[in-house]
Amino acid sequence: MRPVIRALGGVATALALAVGTTSVASADPARAGGPGRIDWRPCPEQAEVECGTLSLPIDWAKPRGERFDLAVARRKATDPAGRIGVLVVNPGGPGGSGVNFALGADGYFSPQVRQRFDIVGFDPRGVARSQAVRCSLEVLRAQPSTHPTDQREFDALAAYNRELAADCRERSGPIYDHADTGAVVRDVDALRTALGERRINYYGLSYGTLIGQQYAEEFGRHVRAMVIDSNMDHSLGTWRFNETEAATAEDSFREFVAWCDRTESCALHGRDVAAVWDDLLARADRGEVADPFDPSREVTADDIIGSAFSAFYGPDWQQLSDFLVELGAGAPAEAAFAEETARNPFPAVFCQDWAIRVKDHRQFAALVDRTRQLAPHMRGSSLGHRATAGCVGLPERVNNPQHRLDVEHAPKILMLNALHDPATGYEWAVNAHRQSRDTTVLLTYEGWGHGVYDRSDCTRGATDEYLVDLKAPRPGARCAAVEPAPQPVASASAKPVPEGPTPAIPGW
């Protein structure tokens, strides 16, 4: 069935990477694995932005082996005389296009940043223009339930995931097995070399923070400054990962309920929002909720939960309340439906970055029960559950397994996180900060949604000052919450929508 509204989700993730001022000679392209120069030409989408490619090894362990072209875009600094360096951007996901983000960066970054930095975006290996991971649409549509009720259904899910991986590998080539963040980090440093920069400044949001964290671990001396916004915690195992994802999704639901209680414009104001929600999910479980655009199609509880989860990214609370009322009444809501795509980089990246595996149905059921205890209204986390289910049956050995953050040779790194983020919970940022306390400072935004940089003058100003002047906020600094203004459903955002495990559920 067609998933219900993706557009409702509004804001997604954005990642950026800023590069320092000191240039070095270009690397010798004949060196094993060494990048050559980028042949910059006007981008077909926008002539004022330059596009090019960088040839890199698919397998960094075999630098003279098969290669792929890393797609890159550059928007030059508007004040060449005051230019500090380059700002390389990528939107996280995993699976988002950094090239697209660079194309739209004039609507996201402040004039001060755009004056001082070239903004350079890249599509990570396996994504979009960088030899995208592709899979059969027929196989994608054949996915069994991600909520197996017994061992037989669990085995079917595991077999399907293996079939999908084999199909994607056949259609995508060897890059499918080398799309992990560890390899992307090597690509970023090769890009630094090709750009002629000695040190880089990094701004990364959501899954892009994992790139930043691991770049700082491996190439800390190549960093001038780094901002990681809405942080991943790569130290978590299967259980704690799912528990924290469930808890932060439920926290966002409670914040939506509190907003409805205090806001007269909420379509559910004056009602018991949690009870209305639970009743709607129960009706969906019984097959009593129809797709407003196609009454012959049933809307599932997972569809409704996924739409709400997506809305919490904005947060787009007004549209969510309107949608829930209209859905309950059977009236068409003003929303865009997500279409399925044959591009499918998410599991290729996530399942190689995280050794999150569930061995059998008994363990899977226990994990689901635990997440539902922590998130009774959201029934766990849509994103966490689908990510975990997507790795069922795949090899336990991964290219880039979890570990505690260990940064030794980088300058002070600025971390940003919202107190009420539906996807990268505040606990993740606190834990990652605790692991790297000597090299990070955490700025807390006391509000809601996914992504902090452009939330307020406070968050933007602190980040800009750090990137431009290398002046980090004091330890324990906080920025006050800003009540989100209602946005039209069709309104455009400079932030790209992160590709998630399904078209209806955004990623990190």
Side-chain angles (χ1 to χ4, degrees):
M1 117 139 217
R2 185 173 50 174
V4 177
I5 59 176
R6 178 175 186 171
L8 185 60
V11 177
T13 60
L15 165 146
L17 191 49
V19 181
T21 57
T22 308
S23 296
V24 296
S26 297
D28 178 4
R31 187 181 63 186
R37 295 179 181 274
I38 300 171
D39 183 16
W40 296 108
R41 299 178 184 274
C43 295
E45 299 89 347
Q46 293 184 41
E48 67 270 24
V49 181
E50 299 173 313
C51 285
T53 60
L54 179 64
S55 177
L56 296 174
I58 288 178
D59 183 354
W60 278 101
K62 300 177 181 178
R64 297 188 184 277
E66 190 170 348
R67 303 174 79 84
F68 78 101
D69 288 335
L70 184 79
V72 187
R74 177 173 65 183
R75 179 183 289 274
K76 288 190 174 181
T78 59
D79 178 13
R83 177 186 179 276
I84 293 174
V86 296
L87 180 62
V88 182
V89 297
N90 177 274
S97 168
V99 168
N100 288 348
F101 188 55
L103 291 170
D106 56 335
Y108 180 69
F109 291 103
S110 70
Q112 183 182 17
V113 168
R114 289 185 281 114
Q115 288 168 0
R116 307 300 296 277
F117 296 97
D118 294 346
I119 297 176
V120 177
F122 71 99
D123 290 350
R125 52 175 55 220
V127 172
R129 305 165 185 82
S130 295
Q131 198 167 321
V133 170
R134 301 194 69 85
C135 312
S136 164
L137 191 58
E138 181 181 358
V139 175
L140 286 170
R141 286 173 170 164
Q143 183 183 52
S145 172
T146 58
H147 297 277
T149 60
D150 54 29
Q151 186 62 40
R152 181 185 61 81
E153 291 186 0
F154 180 88
D155 291 341
L157 177 60
Y160 168 80
N161 287 340
R162 291 190 291 268
E163 177 190 2
L164 178 62
D167 174 85
C168 300
R169 183 179 294 109
E170 179 182 359
R171 295 174 184 274
S172 307
I175 203 164
Y176 179 83
D177 293 309
H178 298 280
D180 58 279
T181 296
V184 172
V185 163
R186 298 288 301 273
D187 297 344
V188 170
D189 204 57
L191 177 59
R192 174 194 62 81
T193 301
L195 290 170
E197 301 291 335
R198 189 178 303 278
R199 294 184 302 156
I200 67 173
N201 310 285
Y202 183 91
Y203 171 86
L205 192 150
S206 197
Y207 209 82
T209 65
L210 184 57
I211 298 174
Q213 292 168 8
Q214 295 197 336
Y215 189 86
E217 287 182 311
E218 296 294 326
F219 301 104
R221 289 188 174 92
H222 296 170
V223 175
R224 173 184 173 270
M226 179 176 287
V227 181
I228 43 180
D229 181 347
S230 305
N231 284 265
M232 304 295 293
D233 180 3
H234 200 231
S235 71
L236 302 176
T238 300
W239 279 81
R240 196 62 192 145
F241 172 85
N242 278 275
E243 287 174 336
T244 50
E245 280 288 84
T248 201
E250 186 73 5
D251 172 73
S252 286
F253 177 82
R254 290 194 298 267
E255 290 299 309
F256 166 64
V257 172
W259 173 81
C260 272
D261 288 345
R262 68 176 181 265
T263 307
E264 291 186 1
S265 67
C266 173
L268 297 169
H269 181 68
R271 302 174 66 183
D272 185 335
V273 178
V276 171
W277 169 267
D278 290 341
D279 178 68
L280 184 60
L281 296 189
R283 289 173 51 204
D285 288 337
R286 296 192 297 268
E288 298 173 0
V289 180
D291 180 340
F293 284 93
D294 184 354
S296 68
R297 296 177 182 270
E298 292 181 2
V299 174
T300 69
D302 277 355
D303 291 331
I304 299 169
I305 292 170
S307 294
F309 178 76
S310 184
F312 296 156
Y313 275 51
D316 300 319
W317 288 330
Q318 185 65 57
Q319 292 88 333
L320 176 58
S321 69
D322 294 341
F323 168 70
L324 293 177
V325 169
E326 291 167 337
L327 187 63
E334 291 184 39
F337 284 77
E339 296 298 331
E340 294 175 277
T341 174
R343 284 207 320 238
N344 192 39
F346 188 97
V349 181
F350 181 83
C351 297
Q352 284 289 356
D353 278 343
W354 302 79
I356 288 182
R357 303 294 188 268
V358 183
K359 64 180 181 179
D360 55 29
H361 178 260
R362 181 178 179 180
Q363 187 180 78
F364 191 89
L367 184 62
V368 170
D369 287 346
R370 175 57 179 158
T371 58
R372 290 194 174 198
Q373 289 173 2
L374 294 168
H377 296 100
M378 292 296 289
R379 299 184 180 181
S381 164
S382 298
L383 178 55
H385 178 89
R386 292 302 292 258
T388 300
C391 298
V392 165
L394 299 183
E396 293 187 9
R397 184 175 180 179
V398 302
N399 293 345
N400 184 35
Q402 301 100 297
H403 62 273
R404 290 179 60 83
L405 186 58
D406 183 17
V407 179
E408 295 182 353
H409 303 297
K412 187 67 70 175
I413 294 169
L414 175 59
M415 303 177 70
L416 311 174
N417 223 92
L419 202 56
H420 305 289
D421 187 310
T424 53
Y426 187 66
E427 181 178 338
W428 283 9
V430 170
N431 200 30
H433 173 49
R434 185 180 299 118
Q435 295 166 31
S436 57
R437 187 173 296 276
D438 292 340
T439 54
T440 61
V441 58
L442 174 60
L443 173 63
T444 300
Y445 171 61
E446 296 177 324
W448 314 269
H450 188 58
V452 166
Y453 169 71
D454 60 347
R455 293 289 168 181
S456 69
D457 291 341
C458 176
T459 57
R460 186 184 299 106
T463 304
D464 288 356
E465 184 177 29
Y466 169 75
L467 282 174
V468 174
D469 300 324
L470 297 180
K471 182 178 179 181
R474 59 176 175 78
R478 303 173 83 88
C479 287
V482 176
E483 193 83 3
Q487 297 291 329
V489 173
S491 64
S493 170
K495 289 184 179 179
V497 176
E499 294 197 27
T502 75
I505 300 172
W508 292 282

